[in-house]
Coordinates of all heavy atoms in Angstrom, one line a residue:
F79 N 146.5 152.9 -125.7 CA 147.6 152.2 -124.9 C 148.5 151.4 -125.8 O 149.7 151.4 -125.6 CB 146.9 151.4 -123.8 CG 147.9 150.8 -122.9 CD1 148.6 151.5 -121.9 CD2 148.3 149.4 -123.0 CE1 149.5 150.9 -121.0 CE2 149.2 148.8 -122.2 CZ 149.8 149.5 -121.2
I90 N 146.2 141.3 -126.2 CA 145.8 141.2 -124.8 C 145.2 139.9 -124.5 O 145.2 139.5 -123.3 CB 144.7 142.4 -124.6 CG1 144.5 142.6 -123.1 CG2 143.4 142.0 -125.2 CD1 143.7 143.9 -122.8
F297 N 150.4 159.2 -126.5 CA 150.2 158.2 -125.4 C 149.5 158.8 -124.2 O 148.7 158.1 -123.5 CB 151.5 157.6 -125.1 CG 151.4 156.4 -124.1 CD1 150.9 155.2 -124.6 CD2 151.7 156.6 -122.8 CE1 150.8 154.1 -123.7 CE2 151.6 155.5 -121.9 CZ 151.1 154.3 -122.4
K298 N 149.8 160.0 -123.8 CA 149.3 160.6 -122.5 C 148.0 161.3 -122.7 O 147.6 162.0 -121.8 CB 150.4 161.5 -121.9 CG 151.6 160.7 -121.4 CD 151.2 159.9 -120.2 CE 152.4 159.2 -119.5 NZ 152.0 158.4 -118.4
Y458 N 142.1 139.3 -119.3 CA 143.2 140.1 -118.9 C 143.1 140.6 -117.5 O 144.0 140.7 -116.7 CB 143.4 141.3 -119.9 CG 144.6 142.1 -119.6 CD1 145.9 141.7 -119.8 CD2 144.4 143.5 -119.2 CE1 147.0 142.5 -119.6 CE2 145.5 144.3 -119.0 CZ 146.8 143.8 -119.2 OH 147.9 144.6 -118.9
G459 N 141.8 141.0 -117.1 CA 141.5 141.4 -115.8 C 141.3 142.9 -115.7 O 142.2 143.7 -116.1
C460 N 140.2 143.3 -115.1 CA 139.9 144.8 -115.0 C 141.0 145.5 -114.2 O 141.4 146.6 -114.5 CB 138.6 145.0 -114.3 SG 137.2 145.2 -115.5
H461 N 141.5 144.8 -113.1 CA 142.5 145.5 -112.3 C 143.8 145.8 -113.0 O 144.4 146.8 -112.9 CB 142.8 144.7 -111.0 CG 143.3 143.3 -111.3 ND1 142.5 142.3 -111.9 CD2 144.5 142.7 -111.0 CE1 143.2 141.2 -112.0 NE2 144.5 141.4 -111.5
H462 N 144.2 144.8 -113.9 CA 145.3 145.1 -114.8 C 145.1 146.2 -115.8 O 145.9 147.0 -116.0 CB 145.7 143.8 -115.5 CG 146.3 142.7 -114.7 ND1 146.1 141.4 -114.9 CD2 147.0 142.8 -113.5 CE1 146.7 140.7 -114.0 NE2 147.3 141.5 -113.1
F463 N 143.9 146.2 -116.4 CA 143.5 147.2 -117.4 C 143.5 148.6 -116.8 O 143.9 149.6 -117.3 CB 142.2 146.8 -118.1 CG 141.9 147.6 -119.3 CD1 142.8 147.6 -120.4 CD2 140.8 148.4 -119.4 CE1 142.5 148.3 -121.5 CE2 140.5 149.1 -120.5 CZ 141.4 149.1 -121.6
V464 N 142.9 148.7 -115.6 CA 142.8 149.9 -114.9 C 144.2 150.5 -114.5 O 144.5 151.7 -114.7 CB 141.9 149.8 -113.6 CG1 142.1 151.0 -112.7 CG2 140.5 149.6 -114.0
R465 N 145.1 149.5 -114.1 CA 146.5 149.9 -113.9 C 147.1 150.5 -115.1 O 147.8 151.5 -115.0 CB 147.2 148.6 -113.4 CG 148.7 148.8 -113.2 CD 149.4 147.5 -113.3 NE 149.3 146.9 -114.7 CZ 149.5 145.6 -115.0 NH1 149.8 144.7 -114.0 NH2 149.3 145.2 -116.2
D466 N 146.9 149.9 -116.3 CA 147.5 150.4 -117.5 C 146.9 151.8 -117.9 O 147.7 152.7 -118.3 CB 147.1 149.4 -118.7 CG 147.8 148.0 -118.5 OD1 148.7 147.9 -117.6 OD2 147.4 147.1 -119.2
I467 N 145.6 152.0 -117.7 CA 145.0 153.3 -118.0 C 145.5 154.3 -117.1 O 145.9 155.5 -117.6 CB 143.5 153.2 -117.9 CG1 142.9 152.2 -118.9 CG2 142.8 154.6 -118.2 CD1 141.4 151.9 -118.8
Q468 N 145.6 154.0 -115.8 CA 146.1 155.0 -114.9 C 147.5 155.4 -115.2 O 147.9 156.6 -115.0 CB 146.0 154.5 -113.4 CG 144.5 154.4 -113.0 CD 144.3 154.0 -111.6 OE1 143.2 154.1 -111.0 NE2 145.3 153.4 -111.0
F469 N 148.4 154.5 -115.6 CA 149.7 154.8 -116.0 C 149.7 155.7 -117.3 O 150.5 156.7 -117.4 CB 150.5 153.5 -116.3 CG 151.8 153.8 -117.1 CD1 152.9 154.2 -116.4 CD2 151.9 153.6 -118.4 CE1 154.1 154.5 -117.0 CE2 153.1 153.8 -119.1 CZ 154.2 154.3 -118.4
M470 N 148.8 155.4 -118.2 CA 148.7 156.1 -119.4 C 148.2 157.6 -119.3 O 148.8 158.5 -119.8 CB 147.8 155.4 -120.4 CG 147.7 156.1 -121.8 SD 146.7 155.0 -122.9 CE 145.1 155.0 -122.2
I471 N 147.1 157.8 -118.5 CA 146.5 159.1 -118.5 C 146.8 159.9 -117.2 O 146.4 161.0 -117.0 CB 145.0 159.0 -118.7 CG1 144.3 158.3 -117.5 CG2 144.6 158.4 -120.0 CD1 142.8 158.3 -117.6
D472 N 147.6 159.2 -116.3 CA 147.9 159.8 -115.0 C 146.7 160.3 -114.2 O 146.8 161.4 -113.6 CB 148.9 161.0 -115.2 CG 150.2 160.5 -115.8 OD1 150.7 159.5 -115.4 OD2 150.8 161.3 -116.7
R473 N 145.6 159.6 -114.3 CA 144.4 159.9 -113.6 C 143.8 158.7 -113.0 O 143.9 157.6 -113.6 CB 143.4 160.6 -114.5 CG 143.8 162.1 -114.9 CD 142.9 162.6 -115.9 NE 143.2 164.0 -116.2 CZ 144.1 164.5 -117.0 NH1 144.9 163.6 -117.6 NH2 144.3 165.8 -117.2
K474 N 143.0 158.9 -111.9 CA 142.4 157.7 -111.3 C 141.2 157.2 -112.2 O 140.5 158.0 -112.8 CB 141.9 158.2 -109.9 CG 141.1 157.1 -109.2 CD 140.7 157.6 -107.8 CE 139.8 156.6 -107.1 NZ 140.4 155.3 -106.9
V475 N 141.0 156.0 -112.3 CA 139.9 155.4 -113.0 C 138.9 154.9 -111.9 O 139.1 154.1 -111.1 CB 140.3 154.1 -113.8 CG1 139.1 153.5 -114.4 CG2 141.3 154.6 -114.9
V480 N 135.0 150.1 -113.7 CA 135.3 148.7 -113.4 C 134.0 147.9 -113.4 O 134.0 146.8 -114.0 CB 136.1 148.6 -112.1 CG1 136.3 147.1 -111.7 CG2 137.4 149.3 -112.1
W483 N 132.6 147.5 -117.0 CA 133.3 146.6 -117.9 C 133.2 145.2 -117.5 O 133.2 144.3 -118.3 CB 134.8 147.0 -118.0 CG 135.1 148.3 -118.6 CD1 134.3 148.9 -119.6 CD2 136.2 149.2 -118.4 NE1 134.9 150.1 -120.0 CE2 136.0 150.3 -119.2 CE3 137.3 149.2 -117.5 CZ2 136.9 151.4 -119.2 CZ3 138.1 150.2 -117.5 CH2 137.9 151.3 -118.4
A556 N 148.2 137.5 -122.0 CA 148.7 138.6 -122.9 C 150.1 138.3 -123.4 O 151.0 137.9 -122.6 CB 148.6 139.9 -122.1
W559 N 152.1 142.5 -124.9 CA 151.1 143.6 -124.6 C 151.9 144.7 -124.0 O 152.7 144.5 -123.1 CB 150.0 143.1 -123.7 CG 149.0 144.1 -123.3 CD1 148.9 144.7 -122.0 CD2 148.1 144.8 -124.1 NE1 148.0 145.6 -122.0 CE2 147.4 145.7 -123.3 CE3 147.7 144.7 -125.4 CZ2 146.4 146.5 -123.7 CZ3 146.7 145.5 -125.9 CH2 146.0 146.4 -125.0
G560 N 151.5 145.9 -124.3 CA 152.1 147.1 -123.7 C 152.2 148.3 -124.7 O 151.8 148.1 -125.9
P561 N 152.7 149.4 -124.3 CA 152.8 150.6 -125.2 C 153.7 150.3 -126.4 O 154.7 149.6 -126.3 CB 153.4 151.6 -124.3 CG 153.1 151.2 -122.9 CD 153.1 149.7 -122.9
W570 N 156.4 151.8 -118.4 CA 155.3 151.0 -118.0 C 155.7 149.7 -117.3 O 155.2 149.3 -116.3 CB 154.4 150.6 -119.2 CG 153.3 149.6 -119.0 CD1 152.2 149.8 -118.3 CD2 153.3 148.3 -119.4 NE1 151.4 148.7 -118.2 CE2 152.1 147.7 -119.0 CE3 154.2 147.5 -120.2 CZ2 151.7 146.4 -119.2 CZ3 153.8 146.2 -120.4 CH2 152.6 145.6 -120.0
T571 N 156.8 149.0 -117.8 CA 157.3 147.8 -117.2 C 157.8 148.0 -115.8 O 157.5 147.2 -114.9 CB 158.4 147.2 -118.1 OG1 158.0 147.0 -119.4 CG2 159.0 145.9 -117.5
A572 N 158.5 149.1 -115.6 CA 158.9 149.5 -114.3 C 157.7 149.8 -113.4 O 157.7 149.4 -112.2 CB 159.8 150.7 -114.3
F573 N 156.7 150.4 -113.9 CA 155.5 150.8 -113.1 C 154.8 149.5 -112.7 O 154.3 149.4 -111.6 CB 154.6 151.7 -114.0 CG 153.3 152.0 -113.4 CD1 153.2 152.9 -112.4 CD2 152.1 151.4 -113.8 CE1 151.9 153.2 -111.8 CE2 150.9 151.7 -113.2 CZ 150.8 152.6 -112.2
V574 N 154.7 148.5 -113.6 CA 154.0 147.2 -113.3 C 154.7 146.5 -112.2 O 154.1 146.0 -111.3 CB 153.9 146.4 -114.6 CG1 153.4 145.0 -114.2 CG2 153.0 147.0 -115.6
L575 N 156.0 146.5 -112.3 CA 156.8 145.8 -111.2 C 156.6 146.5 -109.9 O 156.5 145.9 -108.8 CB 158.3 145.9 -111.6 CG 158.7 145.0 -112.8 CD1 160.2 145.2 -113.2 CD2 158.5 143.5 -112.5
Q576 N 156.6 147.8 -109.9 CA 156.4 148.6 -108.7 C 155.0 148.3 -108.0 O 154.9 148.1 -106.8 CB 156.5 150.1 -109.0 CG 156.3 151.0 -107.7 CD 156.4 152.4 -108.1 OE1 156.7 152.8 -109.2 NE2 156.1 153.3 -107.1
V577 N 154.0 148.2 -108.9 CA 152.6 147.9 -108.4 C 152.6 146.5 -107.8 O 152.0 146.2 -106.8 CB 151.6 148.0 -109.5 CG1 150.2 147.5 -109.1 CG2 151.5 149.5 -110.0
K578 N 153.3 145.5 -108.5 CA 153.3 144.2 -107.9 C 153.9 144.1 -106.6 O 153.5 143.4 -105.7 CB 154.0 143.3 -108.9 CG 153.2 142.9 -110.2 CD 154.0 142.0 -111.1 CE 153.1 141.6 -112.3 NZ 153.9 140.8 -113.3
Q580 N 154.0 146.5 -104.4 CA 153.1 147.1 -103.4 C 152.0 146.1 -103.0 O 151.6 146.1 -101.9 CB 152.5 148.4 -104.0 CG 153.6 149.5 -104.1 CD 153.0 150.7 -104.8 OE1 151.9 150.7 -105.3 NE2 153.7 151.8 -104.9
D581 N 151.5 145.4 -104.0 CA 150.5 144.4 -103.8 C 150.9 143.3 -102.9 O 150.2 142.7 -102.1 CB 149.9 143.8 -105.1 CG 149.2 144.9 -105.9 OD1 148.8 145.9 -105.3 OD2 149.0 144.7 -107.1

Side-chain angles (χ1 to χ4, degrees):
F79 181 81
I90 197 169
F297 186 76
K298 290 294 184 178
Y458 183 67
C460 265
H461 59 295
H462 289 148
F463 192 58
V464 166
R465 174 202 65 198
D466 295 345
I467 297 171
Q468 291 182 163
F469 167 77
M470 179 175 66
I471 66 175
D472 295 324
R473 287 172 175 81
K474 179 179 173 58
V475 175
V480 177
W483 293 331
W559 175 252
W570 171 72
T571 303
F573 176 76
V574 170
L575 291 173
Q576 182 182 353
V577 170
K578 285 182 178 178
Q580 290 174 353
D581 291 342

